[in-house]
Amino acid sequence: MAIIAPSMLSADFLKLGAEIEMINNSEADWFHLDVMDGKFVPNISYGMPIIAQMKKVATKTFDVHLMIEQPERYLEDFKKAGADYLTVHYETGYHLHRTLTSIRALGMKAGLSINPHTPVDMVADIIHEIDLLLVMSINPGFGGQKFLPLTYNKIRRAKEIITAAGANTLIEIDGGVTLENAGDILAAGADVLVAGNTVFAAADPTAMIARLKRAGQQ
Ligand code: DX5
Ligand code: ZN
């Protein structure tokens, strides 16, 4: 079964405590937390203080997705805030090998994300340093966008690279994941599904999480 990571970007921040409780009590596996700086992506979201507050009541893994320039400046801060997985973008790094090994040295799982225009092959040589390969299926910055079909080939290629290397890297898909495309995404080789709008705009988010969890199964 897929690992389900609801994106809190689409949560109602006026009732954040209740939204976290809903995830705690659902079949979701992780909390996906999107950090944006208004430079690497056009949008600005939230940062360490909010994540640290959320950590006090959340009972599941914190999957922190940094959409910020020079993420290497903040690795320790996000560890302190409660990140379990810390993902940086390929497009932001001159020295990704160093950044990824630093994330692990701080006791977190190391994630690397690629934008739609970045070929998966660019990460092949450092695949053993990557616990989570986050393949963006939209241009990052906003929730509620439409899934880019070019992602399917990228998932298949990522799976080939990981299998050939004998690595344990998980493949995560982020952006435009719905009940309709989840089965195909998993069939292509994904392990983790991020879902913002699909979960939080649903009439019954808990039921939607349960349905995503079983996507692609008979
Ligand atoms: C966008 C973020 C996503 C976003 C996904 O840059 O990385 O995590 O919240 O939202 P949906 O699932 O609505 O496309
Ligand atoms: Zn994200």
Side-chain angles (χ1 to χ4, degrees):
M1 271 194 288
I3 293 170
I4 304 299
S7 169
M8 301 309 285
L9 193 62
S10 298
D12 181 346
F13 278 71
L14 282 181
K15 45 176 191 178
L16 193 51
E19 301 278 52
I20 293 168
E21 270 311 306
M22 182 277 289
I23 304 291
N24 282 346
N25 296 322
S26 76
E27 290 183 65
D29 300 276
W30 298 353
F31 286 82
H32 184 80
L33 303 167
D34 291 298
V35 179
M36 305 179 182
D37 66 353
K39 290 183 83 182
F40 177 63
V41 290
N43 199 6
I44 298 176
S45 58
Y46 51 82
M48 296 78 97
I50 300 279
I51 292 174
Q53 288 294 107
M54 293 171 74
K55 189 74 177 181
K56 291 181 186 165
V57 287
T59 58
K60 296 177 177 179
T61 297
F62 269 23
D63 170 31
V64 177
H65 178 192
L66 299 183
M67 285 160 276
I68 63 174
E69 291 186 355
Q70 295 183 276
E72 62 279 357
R73 291 186 297 165
Y74 298 105
L75 308 182
E76 206 171 336
D77 292 307
F78 282 102
K79 168 67 184 174
K80 284 187 190 143
D84 297 296
Y85 282 80
L86 190 62
T87 296
V88 301
H89 263 264
Y90 173 86
E91 299 81 8
T92 66
Y94 294 123
H95 302 288
L96 289 169
H97 182 276
R98 178 187 292 145
T99 303
L100 293 165
T101 51
S102 300
I103 292 172
R104 281 183 172 172
L106 286 165
M108 296 176 284
K109 299 279 191 187
L112 186 64
S113 183
I114 54 171
N115 276 341
H117 72 270
T118 300
V120 184
D121 286 80
M122 301 304 278
V123 309
D125 289 350
I126 53 169
I127 197 71
H128 287 286
E129 316 306 327
I130 308 172
D131 297 300
L132 182 70
L133 178 60
L134 199 180
V135 178
M136 287 306 305
S137 41
I138 53 164
N139 287 297
F142 302 93
Q145 301 183 72
K146 204 172 162 350
F147 180 89
L148 295 169
L150 61 83
T151 310
Y152 291 118
N153 276 337
K154 299 181 76 150
I155 302 170
R156 284 188 278 268
R157 182 68 191 127
K159 192 74 187 173
E160 278 173 12
I161 290 169
I162 292 163
T163 304
N168 298 318
T169 313
L170 294 173
I171 302 173
E172 179 174 52
I173 302 305
D174 185 6
V177 174
T178 65
L179 216 42
E180 288 67 43
N181 61 23
D184 289 341
I185 294 168
L186 294 169
D191 306 289
V192 187
L193 300 177
V194 175
N197 194 59
T198 292
V199 166
F200 288 99
D204 184 343
T206 305
M208 178 54 73
I209 291 167
R211 295 178 76 188
L212 283 170
K213 185 80 189 161
R214 280 161 193 79
Q217 294 196 322
Q218 304 311 320

